[in-house]
Amino acid sequence: YLHVQFDVQNNATFFYYSFCFSLRSFYCFNMDEKKALFKYSALCSKSEHCEYDIREKMHRTDLTPEQQQRIISFLRKEKYIDDVRYAAVFVRDKLQFNGWGEQKIRFELHRRQIDNEAISKAFDEVDNALFSQKLLKAMQAKMRSAHDADPYKLRAQLMRFGASKGFSFEQISAVVDEVMKTIDIDND
């Protein structure tokens, strides 16, 4: 490998990038492609991105489809883009920070064109009990803001809330039953 260093000016701020390129793959890019390659490799090195995200960003540029494909191929080869790694990070982040359920996370990963095998591997790394814990916390918070005294309406409201977060009916039903028992205990 040849160690190549470049200075790139971007919005009057200088960034110093250091990349290791294989000599053969480096010289197949023209100057616009090199700038785009540096831009997208820097972007991918800062945070996880999937191929779909990068392609969406590339569609806004004047790169030809062939140039886009060469850049994507390079990013995949050098492990800047890895859909399995992306899916694992995405699942953990959406569960932990957004409180999403498995169905909503799966839908979003499919929308981003992540294959089923990568999605399955990502969900295998996550403990299913975490989904129930997140749903329980979300339901308890929702209960504090609910103003409906009718238990049937309250139950329906909680069920809709759980479904909007992307949890399965079985998970929602079990947690709503648990939360409704606390109301019955409080009312007694």
Side-chain angles (χ1 to χ4, degrees), residues 32-49:
D32 290 335
E33 281 181 272
K34 287 179 188 176
K35 288 180 182 177
L37 177 65
F38 297 142
K39 174 184 175 181
Y40 294 114
S41 55
L43 179 70
C44 291
S45 66
K46 290 178 186 174
S47 63
E48 285 295 331
H49 292 277

Side-chain angles (χ1 to χ4, degrees), residues 19-187:
F19 297 102
C20 290
F21 296 104
S22 66
L23 190 58
R24 197 170 75 206
S25 65
F26 177 72
Y27 285 111
C28 71
F29 296 104
N30 67 29
M31 201 54 195
D32 290 335
E33 281 181 272
K34 287 179 188 176
K35 288 180 182 177
L37 177 65
F38 297 142
K39 174 184 175 181
Y40 294 114
S41 55
L43 179 70
C44 291
S45 66
K46 290 178 186 174
S47 63
E48 285 295 331
H49 292 277
C50 63
E51 181 177 336
Y52 177 81
D53 293 341
I54 298 300
R55 283 195 187 277
E56 286 295 309
K57 292 178 188 309
M58 284 185 183
H59 284 307
R60 296 182 217 131
T61 65
D62 58 350
L63 293 171
T64 65
E66 294 82 22
Q67 291 172 325
Q68 291 178 11
Q69 186 56 46
R70 280 196 299 267
I71 291 171
I72 291 290
S73 297
F74 180 84
L75 292 174
R76 277 196 174 282
K77 186 178 110 189
E78 296 295 324
K79 300 290 185 193
Y80 284 104
I81 296 175
D82 185 359
D83 285 345
V84 174
R85 188 177 66 217
Y86 176 81
V89 170
F90 189 87
V91 168
R92 282 193 309 268
D93 284 354
K94 293 304 177 184
L95 173 61
Q96 183 177 1
F97 299 117
N98 296 55
W100 287 5
E102 184 175 349
Q103 293 175 348
K104 190 169 185 174
I105 294 171
R106 278 187 189 276
F107 174 79
E108 191 62 29
L109 287 170
H110 280 293
R111 191 183 72 75
R112 293 170 190 243
Q113 300 173 356
I114 306 295
D115 63 1
N116 288 329
E117 185 179 323
I119 294 172
S120 296
K121 286 180 183 177
F123 277 105
D124 288 345
E125 295 177 11
V126 176
D127 183 18
N128 285 335
L130 289 175
F131 285 103
S132 296
Q133 290 172 358
K134 282 292 184 179
L135 180 59
L136 180 61
K137 285 183 182 179
M139 290 287 187
Q140 289 170 341
K142 185 70 174 174
M143 285 288 296
R144 287 190 289 273
S145 67
H147 301 291
D148 210 333
D150 184 12
Y152 294 109
K153 288 182 181 178
L154 182 60
R155 181 177 180 81
Q157 184 180 10
L158 292 174
M159 294 292 280
R160 283 191 305 273
F161 175 73
S164 73
K165 287 289 205 174
F167 291 94
S168 69
F169 179 77
E170 292 80 20
Q171 288 174 320
I172 296 168
S173 184
V175 170
V176 167
D177 288 343
E178 187 177 330
V179 169
M180 294 301 282
K181 284 179 188 176
T182 61
I183 292 175
D184 293 341
I185 292 170
D186 292 342
N187 289 339

